């Protein structure tokens, strides 16, 4: 017997493949990692397989995609044998998903309040008044300046930043164990990105949840996570504490890290992967 809790995620040999003209194409190629809790970042350039990894963890890879893993566990329980209703329960109760653009994630013809309450309607037996109270306090918790107005608004009536706050509220209200945020700020302008990432981090800590923060922007997410996984062409090439990024060994990690704007790079082109590959 051990008294240590199992990790939030324990993943080994995770592969997502698609049939292609030249044979099977592995867009996620045998990755292994542990999410111990707290805030973990998954970074890599566009197309490296980050979203497919998230979809595999949520049971959302659609045919003809095929998911395989030697281990796929959450809080010590096996996910790989789940049927569709098991995955639905997992998505509604244990893992929340926040995406880049609220205009795709929120239903345009339903008021925000009703969409925030959704997680309560499906999974909790509460009266209408209590659902409404909880939704309003959640809208307040995510920093809506006028929660009642947001509650009554339609998605198109909110700005991008407010839309992301509404989506966070809708995700948090079911009290999931793990929040997967896939490029949650990529559609926002720079100043708002910081604010929204800070909000996500603060809410996750406050509620004792785990965070998997997915982004192509390593310097930005590194400030908001304790540990970083770096993905390149379907593989994990690096796993290290955020505090050690400046000393990373892998050239790809170094390249992503150097993409941060600073006095030294001002006025000079930022490095690109092609430049890196020309060197190796
Ligand atoms: N339905 C699909 N069929 C075949 N390949 C796909 C499909 N969806 C995505 N891919 C490929 O999988 C790779 C990884 O995609 P994705 O996980 O979305 O990358 P990221 O989120 O890191 O930008 C990309 O090369 C993409 O072209
Ligand atoms: Mg993606």
């Amino acid at each position: 017997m051990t008294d240590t809790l199992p990790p939030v995620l324990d993943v080994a040999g995770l592969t997502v493949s698609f049939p292609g003209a030249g044979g099977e194409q592995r867009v996620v190629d045998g990755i292994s990692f542990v999410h111990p809790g707290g805030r973990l970042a998954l970074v890599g350039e566009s197309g490296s397989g980050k979203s497919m990894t998230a979809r595999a963890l949520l049971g959302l890879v659609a045919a003809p995609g095929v998911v395989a893993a030697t281990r796929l566990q959450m809080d010590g329980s096996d996910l790989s044998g789940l049927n569709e209703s098991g995955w639905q329960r997992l998505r509604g109760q244990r893992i929340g998903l926040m995406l880049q653009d609220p205009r795709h994630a929120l239903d345009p013809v339903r008021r925000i309040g009703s969409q925030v309450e959704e997680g309560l309607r499906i999974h909790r037996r509460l009266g209408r008044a209590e659902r409404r109270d909880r939704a309003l306090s959640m809208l307040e918790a995510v920093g809506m300046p006028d929660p009642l107005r947001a509650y009554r608004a339609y998605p198109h009536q909110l700005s991008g930043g407010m839309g992301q706050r509404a989506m966070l509220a809708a995700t948090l209200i079911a009290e999931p164990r793990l929040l997967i945020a896939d490029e949650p700020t990529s559609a926002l302008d720079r100043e708002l990105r910081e604010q929204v990432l800070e909000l996500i981090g603060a809410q996750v800590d406050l509620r004792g949840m785990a965070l998997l923060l997915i982004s192509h922007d390593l310097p930005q997410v590194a400030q908001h996570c304790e540990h970083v996984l770096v993905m390149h062409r379907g593989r994990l090439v690096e796993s290290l504490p955020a505090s050690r990024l400046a000393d990373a060994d892998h050239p790809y990690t170094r390249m992503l890290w150097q993409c941060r704007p600073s006095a030294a790079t001002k006025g000079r082109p930022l490095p690109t992967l092609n430049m890196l590959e020309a060197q190796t």
Side-chain angles (χ1 to χ4, degrees), residues 51-64:
S51 295
M52 275 297 162
T53 301
R55 296 183 76 85
L57 295 171
L58 290 155
L60 288 173
V61 173

Side-chain angles (χ1 to χ4, degrees), residues 16-20 23-27 52 61-66:
V16 180
S17 48
F18 287 89
E24 166 200 270
Q25 194 203 348
R26 292 190 168 194
V27 300
M52 275 297 162
V61 173
V66 177

Side-chain angles (χ1 to χ4, degrees), residues 98-173:
M98 186 178 176
L99 298 167
Q100 175 169 348
D101 193 340
R103 280 167 301 186
H104 296 307
L106 296 172
D107 183 341
V109 297
R110 280 174 57 211
R111 292 180 198 272
I112 296 296
S114 152
Q115 301 193 56
V116 172
E117 287 177 8
E118 184 84 24
L120 296 177
R121 249 195 304 275
I122 300 174
H123 305 290
R124 305 256 190 282
R125 289 160 189 260
L126 295 174
R128 259 182 77 180
E130 171 141 27
R131 277 205 310 263
R132 184 171 186 273
D133 284 350
R134 289 212 195 174
L136 284 169
S137 7
M138 188 56 82
L139 287 167
E140 190 169 12
V142 299
M144 289 292 191
D146 185 345
L148 189 58
R149 193 162 149 225
Y151 183 92
R152 291 177 175 151
Y154 289 97
H156 73 91
Q157 294 172 311
L158 300 182
S159 68
M162 290 300 148
Q164 284 307 68
R165 287 170 198 268
M167 187 154 51
L168 182 62
T171 308
L172 293 180
I173 204 150

Side-chain angles (χ1 to χ4, degrees), residues 34-266:
V34 164
H35 191 327
R39 310 175 191 178
L40 176 67
L42 176 61
V43 302
E45 69 189 330
S46 173
S48 55
K50 307 180 298 294
S51 295
M52 275 297 162
T53 301
R55 296 183 76 85
L57 295 171
L58 290 155
L60 288 173
V61 173
V66 177
V67 178
T70 51
R71 189 163 58 245
L72 194 58
Q73 293 184 347
M74 180 176 186
D75 290 326
S77 71
D78 189 31
L79 303 183
S80 49
L82 289 180
N83 58 18
E84 190 43 40
S85 72
W87 282 117
Q88 272 174 23
R89 258 198 312 280
L90 179 96
R91 294 195 292 267
Q93 299 174 354
R94 293 167 66 196
I95 305 185
L97 177 65
M98 186 178 176
L99 298 167
Q100 175 169 348
D101 193 340
R103 280 167 301 186
H104 296 307
L106 296 172
D107 183 341
V109 297
R110 280 174 57 211
R111 292 180 198 272
I112 296 296
S114 152
Q115 301 193 56
V116 172
E117 287 177 8
E118 184 84 24
L120 296 177
R121 249 195 304 275
I122 300 174
H123 305 290
R124 305 256 190 282
R125 289 160 189 260
L126 295 174
R128 259 182 77 180
E130 171 141 27
R131 277 205 310 263
R132 184 171 186 273
D133 284 350
R134 289 212 195 174
L136 284 169
S137 7
M138 188 56 82
L139 287 167
E140 190 169 12
V142 299
M144 289 292 191
D146 185 345
L148 189 58
R149 193 162 149 225
Y151 183 92
R152 291 177 175 151
Y154 289 97
H156 73 91
Q157 294 172 311
L158 300 182
S159 68
M162 290 300 148
Q164 284 307 68
R165 287 170 198 268
M167 187 154 51
L168 182 62
T171 308
L172 293 180
I173 204 150
E175 300 173 6
R177 170 85 178 98
L178 169 68
L179 172 66
I180 299 181
D182 189 352
E183 305 272 6
T185 60
S186 299
L188 305 176
D189 52 36
R190 184 120 211 134
E191 228 166 280
L192 269 179
R193 280 183 207 170
E194 263 319 295
Q195 279 180 26
V196 171
L197 287 176
E198 228 153 76
L199 172 70
I200 292 172
Q203 287 294 316
V204 158
D205 288 356
L206 181 72
R207 293 161 202 277
M209 294 164 51
L211 174 67
L212 181 63
L213 178 57
I214 297 177
S215 174
H216 64 280
D217 189 337
L218 174 60
Q220 181 151 49
V221 295
Q223 296 173 37
H224 299 273
C225 291
E226 289 116 26
H227 199 91
V228 176
L229 304 172
V230 180
M231 198 162 183
H232 180 41
R233 294 188 178 165
R235 301 206 166 148
L236 283 183
V237 296
E238 186 108 44
S239 165
L240 83 182
S243 58
R244 289 198 11 232
L245 273 164
D247 313 314
D249 287 329
H250 198 284
Y252 184 66
T253 310
R254 297 184 69 85
M255 183 211 61
L256 292 178
W257 182 242
Q258 283 158 13
C259 283
R260 70 192 191 288
S262 70
T265 56
K266 201 167 174 208

